[in-house]
Amino acid sequence: MELEQLQLELITRFSEQQLISGVISQSRSKTESAGKIKIKPVEIKGLYHIQLEYHFDQTITHENKLPSEMEETVRELLDRYRQLQMNWAGESVHIQLSKKKKVTMKRSVTDNQPPVELSHNRKKNYVLDPDVVHPFLVHLGVQTKDGKIKNQKHDKFKQINRFVEFVEDSLAYLPTDQPLRIIDFGSGKSYLTFALYYYLKELKGYEVNITGLDLKKDVIAHCEKLARELQYDGLHFKVGDITDYNNVQQVDMVVTLHACDVATDMALGRAVKWGARVILSVPCCQHELFTQLDSPALAVMTRHGLIKERFASLATDSIRAQVLDLVGYETQLVEFVDLENTPKNILIRAYYTGAQPKPETIAETKAFVAFLQAKPFLVNELQEELKGVLT
């Protein structure tokens, strides 16, 4: 098959709504393109769309297009990628493009495919089934005793499930031959801490030892009482601060949600020093870089306080992700929903791989920090682990 014929076939199949799912991979450019792109059909406001999910090293983004808008997209994708796995109604097709864009295609018939669910309003497959009684959710006031999600708690239930999804994605990086040691800094009312224990211990059967830390004595006392009522023997709550918690030498997972300003950096630094395999962190109130930004090239942004604040926040999280990559983690910045106010927030998700930092990662991090004329707290916190790569 010629390249032009392949383009026409893809465009036609998209317009005829034959798509079940697809994955596009093997980018011709390793620096600019997403590592892979997942494709699926979705229904938005009653209209059929093609959703493209772009997987970069540290971020995942989405783009929704009408079938009529796919022609140029198809041409661009075939120009930038060498492999496609497309699942159409009744047929699966593997497509390989050579360096000179010669097309090789393998087709196979697929029978009994389930119909594609397009509606965004369909029942979601939650990790925590809303039709099952979860004792900790009853005690926390999210569910009634007969297992119904309370009307005013539906958003909270969704948010708890979103967090559990992140935990589920992390399982491959956690050890299975020993009890898991987990620290939750700034656990607060501990909806997510209880969910973490319930999912790992009750649903997955892991042996766990989880400690929730917070400075509010009354909140800690309430959570500790609830943990004892639920007979969660591996879950404990203590009054404590990130800076003075030195009771352990090694931790498998560190969770920190809404630790204010450099408290997030302190938690990230402590997690790295403990050798944490998984880090899940939702930063809050990043003020550190706000007073440091002094690049003339940014004047059109920094003269506006609101814009400067938002840019400083994004720059802070970008640097955090880069620094974690430099000390052996695979890091992504993904969307997370705040438990109280429900705006979309950034969650730093980092898995330890032990990979040595790439020269280009070192170079671009140095250049970015120099451009901002910044002195990031986390860089100073991890001087020993960074081994001078940013100096």
Side-chain angles (χ1 to χ4, degrees):
M1 176 180 286
E2 298 295 329
L3 182 63
E4 291 76 13
Q5 292 175 295
L6 175 60
Q7 292 173 348
L8 179 59
E9 177 176 327
L10 293 175
I11 293 167
T12 300
R13 285 182 179 264
F14 284 132
S15 66
E16 293 178 353
Q17 302 184 13
Q18 295 184 27
L19 177 66
I20 303 296
S21 64
V23 178
I24 299 175
S25 58
Q26 295 187 8
S27 170
R28 296 180 186 273
S29 170
K30 295 184 179 180
T31 57
E32 299 179 359
S33 300
K36 65 179 177 182
I37 304 171
K38 293 183 178 181
I39 306 179
K40 67 178 181 181
V42 296
E43 184 179 292
I44 302 174
K45 296 182 179 180
L47 296 177
Y48 180 95
H49 286 71
I50 308 297
Q51 182 177 91
L52 297 100
E53 183 178 270
Y54 298 87
H55 289 245
F56 296 92
D57 283 344
Q58 297 177 342
T59 57
I60 297 174
T61 62
H62 295 84
E63 184 179 30
N64 299 312
K65 289 181 172 288
L66 292 166
S68 59
E69 300 172 326
M70 286 297 292
E71 182 172 349
E72 184 60 32
T73 300
V74 166
R75 298 183 191 281
E76 290 178 1
L77 292 175
L78 294 179
D79 186 55
R80 292 162 49 196
Y81 290 88
R82 294 188 290 114
Q83 180 171 279
L84 296 84
Q85 177 62 49
M86 304 303 300
N87 299 313
W88 309 109
E91 184 180 39
S92 179
V93 182
H94 179 84
I95 302 163
Q96 193 74 40
L97 299 172
S98 69
K99 289 184 178 180
K100 296 183 178 180
K101 298 183 182 178
K102 179 181 178 182
V103 180
T104 302
M105 184 180 296
K106 293 182 180 180
R107 302 177 185 270
S108 58
V109 176
T110 53
D111 297 323
N112 302 320
Q113 281 181 323
V116 179
E117 289 280 2
L118 299 179
S119 175
H120 282 184
N121 297 320
R122 67 185 183 275
K123 181 180 177 181
K124 181 172 174 60
N125 292 321
Y126 290 113
V127 178
L128 303 180
D129 193 330
D131 297 323
V132 173
V133 177
H134 306 287
F136 84 98
L137 290 179
V138 176
H139 278 71
L140 289 170
V142 177
Q143 274 185 318
T144 62
K145 291 183 179 180
D146 60 353
K148 302 296 183 182
I149 305 299
K150 294 183 178 179
N151 289 334
Q152 68 274 28
K153 296 294 184 179
H154 279 285
D155 286 342
K156 186 147 298 193
F157 177 75
K158 292 177 184 177
Q159 293 150 1
I160 290 170
N161 263 285
R162 180 63 172 147
F163 175 73
V164 174
E165 288 175 3
F166 286 125
V167 176
E168 186 173 55
D169 291 341
S170 304
L171 295 182
Y173 295 88
L174 294 172
T176 57
D177 58 349
Q178 63 188 45
L180 299 179
R181 187 72 177 92
I182 300 172
I183 304 294
D184 183 353
F185 284 122
S187 54
K189 295 179 182 179
S190 301
Y191 289 96
L192 302 187
T193 321
F194 281 102
L196 182 63
Y197 182 91
Y198 178 76
Y199 174 73
L200 290 173
K201 173 66 175 178
E202 304 295 323
L203 298 187
K204 290 297 181 179
Y206 284 82
E207 289 299 319
V208 296
N209 187 339
I210 301 177
T211 300
L213 293 176
D214 202 276
L215 293 174
K216 297 177 181 177
K217 294 182 180 180
D218 56 337
V219 173
I220 287 296
H222 173 74
C223 292
E224 180 66 17
K225 179 176 180 290
L226 180 55
R228 305 288 67 80
E229 291 175 357
L230 288 165
Q231 299 182 5
Y232 285 1
D233 296 335
L235 176 60
H236 297 277
F237 295 90
K238 298 180 180 179
V239 177
D241 196 333
I242 293 170
T243 57
D244 60 17
Y245 188 73
N246 299 300
N247 292 359
V248 296
Q249 298 298 318
Q250 191 273 333
V251 174
D252 298 301
M253 177 188 289
V254 170
V255 177
T256 168
L257 304 179
H258 308 298
C260 190
D261 199 18
V262 296
T264 291
D265 299 288
M266 293 176 185
L268 294 176
R270 189 63 61 89
V272 171
K273 293 176 186 296
W274 278 330
R277 296 286 169 176
V278 174
I279 301 172
L280 299 176
S281 175
V282 177
C284 179
C285 308
Q286 298 98 309
H287 299 307
E288 183 202 8
L289 291 190
F290 184 84
T291 58
Q292 296 184 27
L293 295 177
D294 193 27
S295 173
L298 292 173
V300 295
M301 298 176 66
T302 56
R303 69 167 53 101
H304 306 286
L306 175 63
I307 301 301
K308 182 179 179 181
E309 180 182 7
R310 292 183 180 178
F311 176 79
S313 175
L314 294 172
T316 299
D317 287 335
S318 298
I319 292 172
R320 286 166 173 162
Q322 291 290 115
V323 171
L324 289 174
D325 279 353
L326 292 176
V327 294
Y329 285 82
E330 177 185 315
T331 314
Q332 289 184 325
L333 302 179
V334 295
E335 288 179 346
F336 184 63
V337 182
D338 184 273
L339 287 176
E340 301 299 332
N341 304 314
T342 67
K344 289 181 177 177
N345 280 334
I346 290 175
L347 180 140
I348 301 172
R349 177 174 64 184
Y351 304 136
Y352 185 75
T353 65
Q356 293 298 308
K358 298 177 182 178
E360 56 266 31
T361 305
I362 297 173
E364 66 186 13
T365 307
K366 280 184 176 180
F368 187 61
V369 171
F371 170 70
L372 297 178
Q373 300 187 29
K375 297 179 179 179
F377 185 96
L378 187 58
V379 173
N380 184 65
E381 190 81 351
L382 293 176
Q383 280 187 9
E384 183 177 343
E385 289 73 17
L386 286 166
K387 300 175 182 176
V389 298
L390 292 183
T391 59

